[in-house]
Amino acid sequence: MTILAIDTSNYCLGVALLEDNQVLGEYITNLKKNHSVRIMPAIETLMKDCERVPADLTKIVVAKGPGSYTGVRIGVTIAKTLAWTLQIPLVGISSLEILAAGTGRYFDGYISPLFDARRGQVYTGLYQFANGKLVNEEPDQLILLVDWAAKLAEATKPILFVGNDLQIHRAKIEELLGSKATFAGITEHNPRPAELALLGSDKQGEDIHSFVPNYIRLAEAEAKWLEAKGKISNG
């Protein structure tokens, strides 16, 4: 099995090839650059360096959000196109789950990956490893950081926080959770596309045509359009 993993859901752009439980190659950048311009050259370079061609691929695994609306759409669109063209399975994985998997495997406690969502809000969830498997204890959600910290204050285990946006919220987390909070190192904040490939390796393919990203909330432009059409209310 040769799996291509694609993650453009946030500032990090990542692609990886996983073949028969071996990471053949991995490409990651954490730059504020246009993913739509860079993702296909990154895939082509990785495939060439690993001496693989599209016909060798047996599955596509993509980060399906939450994150940047534009970034998520780019990755999902490319993944769907490749899977449909090659007639191979497509699997979507939570962008937060990828972060949790990359840092918490040997941590005896909970993992709270997070992305900043502005206005004091974060995209986050709660995970832990049990018997070698990553388990989602609290679903991915959009929540005020102070409310999330209040919920975590009741946890009976330490919590590992991870994510490139952690610097925005670290002081508040330390203030509210004290010694219960542990923070991943700077080399652990980029979600690894190889972890994404591994997470999707044993999952069944999804229907390509109905597959959609998980934004958790509507993009602002979409919300305004629906509000103007009277399909949602201000409250």
Side-chain angles (χ1 to χ4, degrees):
M1 177 177 285
T2 304
I3 300 171
L4 172 65
I6 301 169
D7 186 355
T8 61
S9 57
N10 286 278
Y11 283 134
C12 285
L13 179 151
V15 292
L17 281 173
L18 181 71
E19 184 173 87
D20 299 329
N21 294 318
Q22 179 182 9
V23 179
L24 293 182
E26 195 171 21
Y27 176 83
I28 308 171
T29 62
N30 182 24
L31 304 168
K32 296 180 181 179
K33 290 188 175 182
N34 193 332
H35 290 340
S36 64
V37 174
R38 300 172 58 239
I39 182 61
M40 286 308 299
I43 293 172
E44 290 169 3
T45 298
L46 180 67
M47 296 283 286
K48 182 178 179 181
D49 287 349
C50 295
E51 299 181 339
R52 296 296 184 273
V53 296
D56 294 325
L57 298 176
T58 56
K59 181 182 284 187
I60 306 292
V61 183
V62 65
K64 65 178 182 180
S68 158
Y69 299 118
T70 301
V72 172
R73 279 195 291 268
I74 290 168
V76 167
T77 299
I78 289 173
K80 290 177 67 170
T81 301
L82 287 173
W84 182 81
T85 302
L86 298 170
Q87 293 296 291
I88 58 177
L90 170 68
V91 172
I93 300 292
S94 160
S95 301
L96 290 165
E97 185 177 353
I98 304 163
L99 267 180
T103 54
R105 186 170 280 110
Y106 305 107
F107 181 73
D108 186 18
Y110 296 115
I111 311 112
S112 177
L114 62 81
F115 305 130
D116 181 60
R118 297 184 294 183
R119 299 169 184 164
Q121 301 176 105
V122 292
Y123 294 114
T124 189
L126 197 65
Y127 296 81
Q128 72 170 331
F129 275 88
N131 300 317
K133 296 290 185 179
L134 187 62
V135 179
N136 183 213
E137 300 291 350
E138 285 282 344
D140 293 353
Q141 57 197 276
L142 174 67
I143 188 172
L144 285 167
L145 177 71
V146 292
D147 292 342
W148 182 240
K151 183 181 293 189
L152 295 182
E154 302 174 4
T156 57
K157 297 180 180 180
I159 302 114
L160 174 65
F161 291 88
V162 60
N164 279 309
D165 295 333
L166 189 57
Q167 59 184 332
I168 301 171
H169 302 283
R170 179 166 179 160
K172 180 59 69 173
I173 292 171
E174 289 177 326
E175 175 190 334
L176 297 173
L177 292 175
S179 61
K180 183 171 286 188
T182 300
F183 302 94
I186 61 170
T187 58
E188 300 173 303
H189 293 317
N190 289 347
R192 288 192 59 189
E195 289 285 357
L196 168 60
L198 183 61
L199 287 168
S201 62
D202 60 354
K203 295 187 182 298
Q204 295 294 317
E206 304 175 44
D207 181 75
I208 294 173
H209 299 292
S210 62
F211 182 90
V212 294
N214 178 22
Y215 297 121
I216 294 186
R217 66 176 179 183
L218 290 173
E220 186 175 355
E222 293 175 289
K224 287 182 176 179
W225 182 84
L226 288 173
E227 182 179 325
K229 295 294 183 179
K231 295 183 179 181
I232 61 174
S233 66
N234 289 320

